[in-house]
Amino acid sequence: MSTPVPQVPVSQAPILEARGLVKRYGRVTALDHADFDLMPGEILAVIGDNGAGKSSLIKALTGAIRPDHGTILFDGQPVSFDSPIDARRIGIETVYQNLALSPALSIADNLFLGREPRVAGPLGTLLGMLDRPRMRREARAALSSLGLMTIQNIDQPVETLSGGQRQGVAIARAAAFGSRVVIMDEPTAALGVKESRKVLELILDVRAKGLPIVLISHNMPHVFEVADRIHIHRLGRRHAVVDPRAITMSDAVAIMTGAMAPPGEARAA
Amino acid sequence: MSANETPPRAPADFEKVAIGAQATVATFKEETPSLLKRIQHLLHVHPTAIPALVLVLSVAVFAMAGGQRFLTAFNLSVVLQQVTIIAVIGIAQTIVVLTAGIDLSVGAIAVLASMVMGKLAVTAGVPTPLAILIGVAVGAACGAVNGILVTRFRLPPFIVTLGTWYMVFALNLWYSDSETIRSQDIGETAPLLQFFATAIPIGDARLTYGSIAMVIAIALFWYLLSMTAWGRHVHAVGDDPEAARLAGIRVERVLMSVYIVAGIVCAFAAWMMISRYGSASPQSGQTSNLDSITAVVIGGTSLFGGRGSIVGTLLGALIVGVFRNGLALSGVNVLWQDFAVGALIIVAVALDQWLRRVSQ
């Protein structure tokens, strides 16, 4: 399956952006006026050395932490999140590194965890009965839309799946339910080479559905393979945004570690 | 889906070797497992199969050993009556254990609620339905205290409920002046409290309202746990609280509701306790804390949370009841009843550990 790389028009407005985010923990400044832009339909990789403030940036964007200063804009509108639930409500879905799946629950139950549909009528409104047929049907649809539907039993517990399969379920959950942005935290870190490859394909499939993706990864080859743009984070702020087709991996690492100045046009404002 | 058809961008050089390799990682197909593995998997999917099997086997064994006296409709209805209170308190215990907690205060809450119901209705002259309602409210309040200590103060459930066990029991002795409310007095002023002792004779058997109420309660909680979002959340919270939180479940709220519901269920068990014993005694129900945990564990619910079932708890209570009754009828010394129950607990937990290894 080949997915055409969408050309992001320069004039297009970012779907998710942040301006001047500051987050301090005591004397440590995790975010030092950090900016961020995610364009519609793109895969934006976020890379940075350990302690560069990457995860603080992502936590601020997903509502896991509240920045001390700065604004986050979604679709051009300022938003503020008290919790990841708030971010999810407007369509920012996150695939956490630990996947946030409940091992003993079934695939279908996990896909709908926290937003279970109820049957129509008094059975649903008064007795809170789950709409199991709909959950199974939509879970199957969500998995097959990502080419994952070779699962025989949608009711099998997630703990019986392999690491790659679990990642697939977590990605399917994030990409379903009318989400607008998918954030993935190190989706290939815990996987072997073959499973990583499958997950990279999944990431491209999600983009093919028109969803923009923020990909946090330490794995340079993976980043360079799928990313449309690379956001390089350094010392608590956006250091540069580079085009992976115009730069080498070693240069990106050099910029990231401060060994090299970013190319002129990539320097972040 | 395969990786080797014109990927959008070339993988890194060192991964080129992997291109030709099989990339069908997520095809969810299973290789044919060994028989033992298949049994393990089957039991993992249907955890109540074990207690059900054990119950059928123990009934069969005691029918052969105990002969005529065990396998009569009358005796089996007696077993049912004997397990009623433990099964209902076991419901409260099950929902707490499903959240990876434990509630040592269930028995004490039930006794306190029974004393409140009895004393208000008999001594204070409060209308019986109101007395029952206040008893239920006391149960809910005790559960709320447990819930607040577990969620707000983040104390381990074992310690919290160990503490409230002592405290509730002390309150119970203080409130009741350590005096039993006699069966006669309850029968005269508040017969509603003995409602569950009413029996429908079916042949030799005596099916009490209490036994019927127990089955209804089990059915209700089966429904709540497996067919509603609340039930899924209870499982998810016990399975992995952090994952549940990230998935958007309000973990504290779920835990709070679980402890309060457990308190309410204990208060209903209190009503059934008065019906069963006729009287309301501050010294009754001493063993129901541990007995309820026994029923839950033998019923296949994992003490580590997230997996288990309410039907299993009923089966667990029935297994203990059948063992005690059967051994007694076979003329075995009472101490061997306890020995057998102890052995059952250890076997049940060992089995649970084995099943949990399915995922590895």
Side-chain angles (χ1 to χ4, degrees), chain A:
Chain A
M1 201 166 97
S2 70
T3 38
V5 179
Q7 288 304 311
V8 183
V10 187
S11 61
Q12 221 168 349
I15 180 162
L16 180 63
E17 57 180 306
R19 288 289 167 266
L21 294 184
V22 175
K23 180 71 188 177
R24 292 194 184 88
Y25 297 98
R27 295 175 129 183
V28 179
T29 304
L31 289 176
D32 182 14
H33 301 89
D35 295 332
F36 176 88
D37 290 280
L38 176 70
M39 296 298 173
E42 75 168 345
I43 297 177
L44 176 73
V46 175
I47 64 172
D49 215 348
N50 288 340
K54 253 183 340 201
S55 59
S56 294
L57 172 70
I58 296 310
K59 280 179 182 164
L61 293 175
T62 57
I65 61 168
R66 245 189 122 87
D68 302 328
H69 299 287
T71 47
I72 297 170
L73 299 131
F74 187 78
D75 256 350
Q77 300 295 315
V79 286
S80 76
F81 309 128
D82 284 326
S83 73
I85 301 171
D86 289 346
R88 213 170 80 165
R89 201 166 287 140
I90 64 166
I92 300 177
E93 289 281 343
T94 309
V95 180
Y96 296 95
Q97 199 169 354
N98 66 2
L99 300 183
L101 296 174
S102 200
L105 295 187
S106 72
I107 297 168
D109 281 350
N110 261 294
L111 277 169
F112 285 92
L113 199 56
R115 52 188 146 194
E116 294 84 355
R118 293 173 184 186
V119 293
L123 271 181
T125 48
L126 294 178
L127 300 178
M129 187 190 265
L130 295 177
D131 194 347
R132 275 270 156 68
R134 180 174 149 204
M135 285 167 71
R136 292 203 179 95
R137 197 171 59 238
E138 289 185 10
R140 266 198 203 95
L143 291 176
S144 18
S145 79
L146 291 175
L148 274 174
M149 205 39 232
T150 28
I151 297 177
Q152 277 128 358
N153 185 0
I154 203 88
D155 293 322
Q156 78 187 83
V158 161
E159 66 195 344
T160 60
L161 304 179
S162 74
Q165 291 170 330
R166 289 182 204 197
Q167 190 81 46
V169 171
I171 292 174
R173 175 166 76 177
F177 307 113
S179 71
R180 306 275 313 277
V181 168
V182 177
I183 296 176
M184 297 187 197
D185 192 4
E186 299 282 1
T188 56
L191 302 178
V193 172
K194 287 202 297 184
E195 294 206 312
S196 294
R197 190 119 306 284
K198 176 71 188 173
V199 167
L200 291 176
E201 280 176 36
L202 274 179
I203 294 172
L204 294 172
D205 288 347
V206 171
R207 182 185 60 184
K209 290 173 67 172
L211 278 171
I213 295 158
V214 181
L215 171 70
I216 300 104
S217 181
H218 268 104
N219 190 313
M220 288 302 147
H222 291 170
V223 164
F224 271 75
E225 189 182 332
V226 297
D228 299 308
R229 294 191 308 146
I230 300 174
H231 168 134
I232 301 177
H233 215 70
R234 183 171 151 71
L235 303 175
R237 59 201 303 180
R238 181 167 66 183
H239 192 52
V241 175
V242 297
D243 181 345
R245 280 151 294 207
I247 194 169
T248 64
M249 253 181 249
S250 45
D251 283 354
V253 173
I255 296 168
M256 186 177 100
T257 54
M260 185 177 127
E265 79 280 8
R267 205 158 310 192

Side-chain angles (χ1 to χ4, degrees), chain B residues 343-357:
Chain B
L344 274 177
I345 293 173
I346 290 171
V347 170
V349 172
L351 213 53
D352 173 52
Q353 294 283 12
W354 183 59
L355 290 182
R356 285 170 63 81
R357 263 176 260 134

